[in-house]
Amino acid sequence: MDKILKQTTAREPFFTADHGFYRTLFKMLLVVALQNLVAYSVNMADNIMLGVYSQASLSAAATVNQVFFMVQQFALSIGNALVALGAQYWGQKRVGPVRTLTGIALKLGLLISAAIIAVCLLFPEPLLYLFTNSAEIVSEAVRYLSLIQWTFALFILTNVLMAALRSVGIVNISFYISVVSLVVNVGINYTLIFGKFGIRPMGIAGAAVGTLAARLLEFGIVLFYVLKVDKKLRLFCGRDLWNRDKGLRRDYAKVCLPIMLSQVLWGISVPMQTAILGHLSDDAIAANSIATTFYQYLKVIVIAMSSVSAVMIGNAIGRGDMKRIKSDARTMAVIDAVIGAVLGAALFLLRRPLISLYTLTPAASDMAVNLTAIMSIVMVGMSYQMPVSFGIIQGGGDAGFTMKMNLISTWCIVMPLSFLAAFWWKWPVEAVVLVIQSDQIFKGLPTFLRFRKYTWMKKLTKDA
């Protein structure tokens, strides 16, 4: 295998000629993008209903969601590491190690979720005061957190199981789970928040019950699928899931630790960036919220491309076909650039019609138009560098590069410049937002240079 990965070929097609590659890529991309879109819509529906109920409830839920955002980063890290390794083993048609790696990831997920829940139980108010100074918001948020905290373990375990299925090419179940979750969550929230069908209004507590019910259902569905429906992974077949393989545990740790460090430290920077804008003006908060909402809806396609790229590159490396790895990667990188151009153009052209749907002050409306135009440029850079760095390079086995690039760009460049632009140089809001989002553009160059070296192609599997 190592010899195959190192050998060069005289003639390599720039693009992959295999029609099956494109069918698999776009089928998986469509399903994962729809799943991400539905999952994002769950949070949007919660925000809309709580915003109608009361501003205090909306603010409290937004505060608790800062904690949940960090839970998401841990879940993504554990799942992405599992995909990076599992996809390569699946490329070799070796399902036993995939099951063992899933067991390792599940144990890590339980450990981390237990630690986070313990912090929420023991120090709820100090934890929430990290994100707000309002006693009223913290009081309301404590009620919400007291139920939501139990969803953290369910969320992490569900995402680990879905990552295991994704590593062997099963993605449809994720979409179905998200649709069911959306219907259940919205239905219960509407009933309990506003007190419909003879039930007294519960406000934010009703939203917490709806989310808990949805997370329980999500976990139940994916568990039923791996137990009764799945024919590829067969997770509970034999004792592979419980195998204490020290070698695989070390391999998983080598991949997971840099991914987790990068993901979590980036996650910490996001609320700090939001706080910078929050100290500028009320118009800045509203305009940035609107521009970011449109941007996030389109971003689900890019995130889906990252996930699909990681699986397909991992499978290709597992098969050991050097020629196909390079042509597959180049094909996906060009598709990423095209997707970015299309999404950026769509966001720019539709910015005024979309913003006209909101009732804003003239100053906030003009600012929202400008910020959305900036985000359309950011979209182009992000659509290339994220799928290539997180999907192809990290999925190809090089987690160290993405960790170093993101830590340097976020903490050594973007964060210091953002504080200076906002509070020292006192630049206009549009310029501050451009600085905050600038890494999505300039990370494209180091990503491209690393990609073209092909040193990211690393065999992570052990020989049978």
Side-chain angles (χ1 to χ4, degrees), residues 77 80-81 84 88 251-263 389-407 450 455-458 460:
S77 304
N80 288 345
Q88 289 196 19
D251 292 343
Y252 182 79
K254 288 178 183 177
V255 176
C256 188
L257 287 176
I259 294 176
M260 187 173 291
L261 182 62
S262 174
Q263 202 80 40
S389 61
F390 282 95
I392 297 173
I393 296 176
Q394 183 173 280
D398 188 357
F401 168 75
T402 52
M403 178 192 72
K404 293 171 187 174
M405 182 180 70
N406 283 294
L407 292 183
R450 184 70 169 191
T455 55
W456 45 266
M457 294 184 294
K458 300 180 184 295
L460 302 175

Side-chain angles (χ1 to χ4, degrees), residues 228-269:
K228 300 293 185 181
V229 181
D230 165 52
K231 302 300 180 185
K232 280 187 176 181
L233 183 59
R234 294 178 298 162
L235 188 60
F236 294 94
C237 180
R239 297 190 54 82
D240 289 325
L241 182 66
W242 322 109
N243 188 0
R244 297 183 178 183
D245 189 312
K246 292 182 179 180
L248 282 176
R249 200 158 53 207
R250 281 193 300 269
D251 292 343
Y252 182 79
K254 288 178 183 177
V255 176
C256 188
L257 287 176
I259 294 176
M260 187 173 291
L261 182 62
S262 174
Q263 202 80 40
V264 171
L265 290 180
W266 173 80
I268 293 172
S269 74

Side-chain angles (χ1 to χ4, degrees), residues 21 24-25 28-29 32 79-80 82-92 162-171 232 303-319 328 332 387 390-396:
F21 167 84
T24 302
L25 173 67
M28 291 179 66
L29 177 60
V32 177
N80 288 345
L82 174 57
V83 168
L85 275 162
Q88 289 196 19
Y89 278 109
W90 181 248
Q92 299 174 355
M162 288 196 292
L165 293 170
R166 193 164 66 247
S167 67
V168 299
I170 300 173
V171 295
K232 280 187 176 181
I303 295 173
M305 191 65 186
S306 299
S307 299
V308 173
S309 298
V311 173
M312 297 192 70
I313 286 297
N315 288 166
I317 291 178
R319 291 191 299 269
D328 285 0
M332 287 189 285
F390 282 95
I392 297 173
I393 296 176
Q394 183 173 280

Side-chain angles (χ1 to χ4, degrees), residues 9-29:
T9 55
R11 292 184 179 179
E12 295 177 9
F14 188 88
F15 293 114
T16 296
D18 180 9
H19 295 293
F21 167 84
Y22 295 97
R23 284 195 297 270
T24 302
L25 173 67
F26 288 113
K27 180 181 177 181
M28 291 179 66
L29 177 60

Side-chain angles (χ1 to χ4, degrees), residues 30-40 162 171 174-176 178:
L30 177 62
V31 173
V32 177
L34 286 173
Q35 183 257 323
N36 290 341
L37 181 63
V38 174
Y40 184 66
M162 288 196 292
V171 295
S174 301
F175 171 66
Y176 299 137
S178 295

